[in-house]
Amino acid sequence: MEKFVIEGGHRISGSVSISGAKNSALPILAATLLSDEPSVIKNVPNLRDITTMIKILRTFGLRVLSGNGTIRVEPRGYNQCIAPYKLVSTMRASICVLGPLLAKKGFAQVSLPGGCVIGPRPIDLHIKGIKALGANVSIGGGYVYARAKRLHGNKVYLGGAFGSSVLATANVMMAATLARGTTIIENAACEPEVVDLADFLVKMGAKIKGQKTHVIEIQGVKRLSGAEHTVIPDRIETGTFMVAAVMTNGDIEIKGAIPDHVGAVVDKLVEAGARISIKNDRIKVCGRNRLKPINVTTLPYPGFPTDMQAQLMAAMCVTAGISIITEKVYPERFIHISELNRMGAQIMLEGSSAIVNGIPRLSGAPVMASDLRASAALVLAGLVARGTTEVHRIYHIDRGYEMIAEKLHSLGAQIRREKED
Ligand code: EPZ
């Protein structure tokens, strides 16, 4: 196992390029299952979750070639439709093979993903969606089994207790591309990753309308072809670097981003006192000496993203006042609080709100990464802490940030990767 060792107190400056979005690339790779023809996906980040998805596709019998950020998938003749527990348990996003397998092969057996440290991860909306398209679904032995000779279009409302669902929308949209007739998804997620997936499906020949809205219409077609697609830049990586610059009173230029995708993050960081300017795909971010406290509520897109909540909390630890951060997407996603408090932060949890009493400086400590975004928050905290911070179990961060240590180091942060003793 490896850890990050961070010497805090160094401003970051310079420019950094953003990698492709993991959460776009994963469902797009799953969508290649819908065709018999090869697809080529570009700008795919080199991450553990992507490697897991490649393993899953190979388990089904697909040929997958990858290198230099490009993945070529050759699905012709694949005949396995079982996504095993061993792989699904390491990455809950594996559930997005359910819709494509079912639509293309008439059968899918996918291990139930279960909960995780960010809270329960139910799949009731995924199941509701494919049932509405005519699938026969049963659950047994920890697996979901779905069968349908040919799916048929229908109207389905995909809202849960916490709003729309990104991957349920993706699953049902993918399944509907090959269904007979028209499907309308109401309360669909409109995250940029859903739009990117829809754009890929359209290149494959799918007929989709409304993918930037909460009502998506899919007219089923008989077959889809292969396609070539470039994955959008990662808006969460973009936001994480923005927070890094703001926290360290730094001055960086982020290249290759889509500024429209980080509107809520820009808005909140400006409220906290950052100076941000945008030109085409470049975002210039300058911090300030002591940030102002702010109140934030996470919401589905275009609201403030839950995947940026932990990182923003790290920044709020060192403001001059009290911030309240309310989590409305995953109300239990607060595992990072105890570790930030080990670094001297003053954070109290009240239901699904964190009350953060800003202090002048955190102090370096050994801390434990628990999930992807919580780990990113600990790295950010380490950048501004007095002394040395050791972030253990960084395999979590390797699931979703491509070369984060190298990128931060190139901006002047003192961070290195070491083997655990
Ligand atoms: C996607 O997960 C992302 N993962 C998550 O990113 C992200 O946090 C989440 O969307 C919200 O933006 C990928 O895209 C691979 P949801 P997803 O279904 O689709 C509830 C990261 O750090 N819900 O939109 O699984 C659910 O419990 C990861 O990169 C149901 O109730 O999330 C949550 O409260 C972590 N029933 C809310 O909906 C369901 O059937 C939104 O979750 C499905 C979800």
Side-chain angles (χ1 to χ4, degrees):
M1 274 210 275
E2 290 179 320
K3 63 183 174 188
F4 283 146
V5 180
I6 305 164
E7 308 294 338
H10 298 270
R11 292 180 76 228
I12 63 167
S13 63
S15 72
V16 64
S17 295
I18 294 304
S19 301
K22 159 185 88 83
N23 289 349
S24 263
L26 290 172
I28 286 173
L29 286 170
T32 62
L33 290 163
L34 289 161
S35 175
D36 295 317
E37 297 173 12
S39 285
V40 176
I41 319 298
K42 296 181 174 168
N43 200 30
V44 180
N46 184 10
L47 298 170
R48 256 191 49 203
D49 277 8
I50 299 293
T51 310
T52 304
M53 182 55 87
I54 292 174
K55 278 188 194 156
I56 291 175
L57 295 180
R58 286 185 177 144
T59 303
F60 298 150
L62 285 82
R63 187 156 183 255
V64 186
L65 306 164
S66 79
N68 292 330
T70 297
I71 299 186
R72 181 182 162 88
V73 185
E74 297 175 4
R76 178 174 295 282
Y78 77 88
N79 50 17
Q80 285 296 321
C81 299
I82 303 173
Y85 173 75
K86 201 172 67 169
L87 292 171
V88 177
S89 60
T90 64
M91 184 184 73
R92 278 151 194 90
S94 328
I95 190 68
C96 60
V97 300
L98 179 66
L101 283 179
L102 175 66
K104 180 70 182 160
K105 298 289 177 184
F107 174 69
Q109 180 184 339
V110 181
S111 173
L112 285 164
C116 69
V117 291
I118 70 173
R121 305 283 297 269
I123 58 159
D124 54 310
L125 296 172
H126 300 245
I127 291 176
K128 178 182 177 185
I130 57 168
K131 271 187 172 170
L133 301 189
N136 199 324
V137 182
S138 60
I139 289 176
Y143 279 83
V144 45
Y145 297 81
R147 282 187 182 79
K149 260 205 175 122
R150 176 141 187 226
L151 296 168
H152 54 75
N154 201 351
K155 190 186 255 198
V156 56
Y157 180 85
L158 282 189
F162 305 105
S164 53
S165 162
V166 174
L167 289 180
T169 303
N171 243 332
V172 179
M173 182 166 72
M174 289 190 278
T177 56
L178 291 178
R180 188 179 290 120
T182 302
T183 297
I184 295 178
I185 305 176
E186 292 181 329
N187 202 28
C190 62
E191 268 69 3
E193 295 77 16
V194 174
V195 179
D196 202 27
L197 170 65
D199 290 348
F200 175 61
L201 292 169
V202 167
K203 286 180 188 166
M204 295 174 85
K207 294 196 171 150
I208 304 177
K209 287 198 295 203
Q211 57 267 41
K212 277 190 182 154
T213 75
H214 292 298
V215 182
I216 302 180
E217 186 181 314
I218 307 115
Q219 206 186 314
V221 295
K222 281 216 169 103
R223 56 177 293 280
L224 293 173
S225 60
E228 191 174 307
H229 186 74
T230 300
V231 171
I232 56 169
D234 195 310
R235 66 192 167 105
I236 306 302
E237 187 195 17
T238 307
T240 303
F241 277 101
M242 289 169 71
V243 173
V246 171
M247 279 179 86
T248 61
N249 192 14
D251 179 357
I252 68 167
E253 185 177 56
I254 296 171
K255 296 189 293 193
I258 299 183
D260 278 354
H261 291 174
V262 286
V265 179
V266 169
D267 186 71
K268 283 294 156 189
L269 292 180
V270 167
E271 197 183 322
R275 278 173 295 133
I276 297 179
S277 58
I278 292 169
K279 199 167 175 202
N280 305 322
D281 69 344
R282 291 175 184 231
I283 308 177
K284 214 168 151 14
V285 189
C286 299
R288 60 182 269 152
N289 234 345
R290 190 91 195 266
L291 296 171
K292 291 186 264 181
I294 50 173
N295 296 334
V296 179
T297 300
T298 66
L299 288 168
Y301 189 82
F304 191 90
T306 175
D307 291 346
M308 280 300 300
Q309 180 254 106
Q311 302 90 312
L312 190 82
M313 191 180 295
M316 293 304 101
C317 288
V318 288
T319 63
I322 293 176
S323 305
I324 300 177
I325 302 179
T326 303
E327 178 56 67
K328 290 254 172 140
V329 179
Y330 286 107
E332 295 172 27
R333 192 176 199 175
F334 287 115
I335 196 110
H336 39 284
I337 290 182
S338 52
E339 295 303 286
L340 289 170
N341 283 348
R342 297 192 80 244
M343 299 177 72
Q346 294 179 4
I347 311 170
M348 263 174 40
L349 191 58
E350 282 271 338
S352 57
S353 292
I355 299 158
V356 188
N357 186 11
I359 54 166
R361 193 113 195 238
L362 294 167
S363 65
V367 286
M368 193 75 84
S370 53
D371 83 88
L372 170 56
R373 308 304 170 188
S375 326
L378 297 176
V379 168
L380 295 176
L383 296 181
V384 296
R386 185 179 294 113
T388 307
T389 297
E390 288 193 353
V391 184
H392 298 276
R393 296 201 183 162
I394 54 168
Y395 54 86
H396 288 290
I397 210 162
D398 291 336
R399 290 184 45 200
Y401 286 93
E402 190 177 50
M403 298 201 301
I404 189 165
E406 290 80 356
K407 287 185 182 184
L408 283 170
H409 193 263
S410 76
L411 296 171
Q414 295 302 302
I415 175 168
R416 57 183 192 276
R417 191 183 277 268
E418 283 185 5
K419 288 249 174 296
E420 293 275 15
D421 302 329

